[in-house]
Amino acid sequence: MVKYFLDQSMFRNSWDQVFAAFWQRYPNPYSKHVLREDIVHQEVTPDQKLLSWRLLTKINRMTGWAE
């Protein structure tokens, strides 16, 4: 089962700060349910947007409707 979603956020920080925070997201000691993060595709668009396709391997329970 695959879930597809789109998320857009506007950050009021510099590009360097946002990019550094993005790369430091996982591993995170407070997110023990996330085992790994695999980046499938990444690109910077001509209008300076970072597009990223990621797969997260998690160990927490499935939602009730999926069980």
Side-chain angles (χ1 to χ4, degrees), residues 27-49:
N28 182 343
Y30 300 105
S31 297
K32 296 187 185 302
H33 65 284
V34 178
L35 298 178
R36 62 188 282 177
E37 175 186 20
D38 296 316
I39 299 172
V40 177
H41 175 78
Q42 249 181 351
E43 69 178 277
V44 178
T45 63
D47 57 346
Q48 297 299 304
K49 292 182 181 177

Side-chain angles (χ1 to χ4, degrees), residues 47-66:
D47 57 346
Q48 297 299 304
K49 292 182 181 177
L50 175 64
L51 300 178
S52 178
W53 299 353
R54 298 176 292 153
L55 295 175
L56 298 176
T57 304
K58 301 169 62 177
I59 59 172
N60 56 343
R61 294 185 53 195
M62 293 175 57
T63 59
W65 64 267

